[in-house]
Amino acid sequence: MIAAAKSGALPEYVSDAFPGSENNWEDLVTGATAAHRGGAIDLIAAFAHATEERLSYGCQQFLEEVLPRLKLDQPQVLELVIGLSERSRGQGLPYYLSSWFSGWCEAKASRPWALLEEIRTGSAPDFIRHAVCHSGLKVSRRRFLPALIKLIEHGSNNERWSAANLLGRFDGFQPREQDRAVKALRASIRRETEDAVVAPLRSLLHVAASVTGKDKEGIAAIADRSMSNDEHVRNAIASEMMFSMSKASPALARAAFAALMAIGPGEDDTVDVVDQILSKTIDGPLATEAHALLDHLLTSRSARMKKLDATSMAILNSDQVARSSLIGGWLRSPSFRHFDAVLDICRGVGENTPKFDIDMSGWTPDEALRSVRRSSAI
């Protein structure tokens, strides 16, 4: 190992050793730790400037295990982080460094603030800001909460994005701190335009769905921007509620559905997300809102059922009475968009042709005749 390090071939040596037996691998990690501490090898120099092609999965596993055992100062940490991040195809801090880097930052309360100062002066890369500030909130919310509020108000695009995400998704705030974070997010939502509104709005909706008593803040935030007719707002609402709908209060969920009723043709990315939401809510407490939104997507020509794969499958797998009632309503409707929806569902199931028991009692003669003719066409 020492000979490999001196010849500049330590990454290859580690790659060849992985995956070895558990004992041999631990011996390698332990030996490398001792050799670095004793000055026989320099792990930072060996890996920080290695090309990406030389950093195999074995090397990444090695670094994940060996780095937490080393005592490194800030210049060494930055050398390693910058060197390996520059070789990660522009993805920022590599995943195999994230746990160690956060642990190093949090080991001393002064480290995150010192790194933030380095970032401000340009001596450290901007892409570590998010990880640094997250660690900073863990060890010193008194310093980092005001710093993040200042960033979300006056920072660059990247700084505002990072601050918004941390203010809404950090789970260690005390109630008064949470109130300050929410207030800053509400102000940012009112202030931001176009896609810059996405981060603060998603973060606030996450808080509103996850923290007891904060759903009113989410409802108010949706109301703040609902009149702007901004597709970025609708995409943010859909994207966050896809994950948070199950936790959201009924009032917050209804507010989100109401805002999504403004989706129009061409908002394909948002429709893709809404498809997932509808597939989970077409049955259950939010069925009324889900059916109304589905009807809007169809009649506004924002989507056809053949694009809503998840929703189609949810309908076909739903209760037979509810499923047949929905299909019957589409068949009796004068709108050809509803008839297209029935055609799309029937054509998109392969050999498993669906069957619907349609109850026509209470229909007018014209509705019954229309349904029979359309059923014959199918």
Side-chain angles (χ1 to χ4, degrees), residues 151-354:
L151 281 181
I152 201 174
E153 293 174 350
H154 306 295
S156 65
N157 289 342
N158 287 338
E159 290 169 342
R160 299 199 312 279
W161 176 89
S162 182
N165 276 282
L166 288 168
L167 288 172
R169 300 181 188 279
F170 181 71
D171 58 6
F173 286 133
Q174 295 298 314
R176 289 186 179 180
E177 295 168 337
Q178 188 85 73
D179 291 342
R180 293 177 65 189
V182 166
K183 182 179 179 180
L185 289 168
R186 283 289 305 278
S188 177
I189 292 166
R190 297 189 191 102
R191 186 172 56 245
E192 296 288 11
T193 59
E194 297 185 345
D195 61 347
V197 75
V198 172
L201 182 52
R202 286 196 62 173
S203 283
L204 185 53
L205 290 176
H206 175 79
V207 174
S210 306
V211 180
T212 302
K214 294 299 181 185
D215 59 333
K216 293 181 180 179
E217 296 288 353
I219 295 169
I222 292 174
D224 286 343
R225 296 302 300 262
S226 290
M227 299 304 293
S228 64
N229 194 29
D230 187 342
E231 64 182 271
H232 297 102
V233 171
R234 292 189 287 275
N235 185 265
I237 294 171
S239 298
E240 187 56 42
M241 296 310 289
M242 179 175 68
F243 298 105
S244 299
M245 191 68 78
S246 62
K247 301 179 292 184
S249 69
L252 178 59
R254 286 193 294 268
F257 271 109
L260 295 175
M261 291 290 286
I263 291 174
E267 297 183 45
D268 293 343
D269 290 344
T270 304
V271 168
D272 288 341
V273 180
V274 168
D275 180 32
Q276 300 301 317
I277 295 174
L278 292 176
S279 71
K280 299 171 184 176
T281 55
I282 204 74
D283 264 346
L286 295 170
T288 299
E289 289 78 12
H291 280 274
L293 179 54
L294 174 59
D295 195 66
H296 166 75
L297 294 179
L298 297 175
T299 57
S300 67
R301 299 181 180 272
S302 300
R304 291 187 57 166
M305 284 307 300
K306 63 182 179 182
K307 181 175 175 60
L308 303 173
D309 294 333
T311 304
S312 295
M313 289 306 302
I315 291 172
L316 292 172
N317 293 326
S318 64
D319 173 78
Q320 182 177 349
V321 175
R323 178 178 70 230
S324 297
S325 176
L326 174 64
I327 300 301
W330 284 347
L331 285 172
R332 71 192 287 198
S333 168
S335 171
F336 279 102
R337 297 295 293 176
H338 288 143
F339 181 48
D340 287 341
V342 178
L343 289 175
D344 288 341
I345 280 188
C346 291
R347 289 170 178 168
V349 294
E351 298 178 357
N352 299 318
T353 302

Side-chain angles (χ1 to χ4, degrees), residues 21 34 59-60 63 68 96-97 101 108 132 144 146 156 175 195 210 228 238 240 265-266 277 289 291 315 320 358:
S21 69
C59 290
Q60 296 170 14
L63 290 171
Y96 57 89
L97 296 183
F101 181 68
K108 288 187 177 180
V132 167
F144 272 85
S156 65
D195 61 347
S210 306
S228 64
E240 187 56 42
I277 295 174
E289 289 78 12
H291 280 274
I315 291 172
Q320 182 177 349
I358 308 299

Side-chain angles (χ1 to χ4, degrees), residues 9 38 59 94 99 104 124 162 168 200 366:
C59 290
S99 178
W104 184 87
S162 182
D366 286 342

Side-chain angles (χ1 to χ4, degrees), residues 1-60:
M1 178 180 62
I2 294 176
K6 290 182 177 180
S7 65
L10 186 56
E12 287 80 4
Y13 180 87
V14 171
S15 295
D16 291 340
F18 181 87
S21 69
E22 185 173 335
N23 289 337
N24 290 341
W25 181 255
E26 176 59 27
D27 288 343
L28 173 63
V29 173
T30 302
T33 302
H36 178 88
R37 288 175 176 172
I41 64 174
D42 185 346
L43 289 174
I44 306 304
F47 287 95
H49 305 291
T51 62
E52 183 179 5
E53 289 72 21
R54 299 172 66 199
L55 291 175
S56 66
Y57 179 72
C59 290
Q60 296 170 14

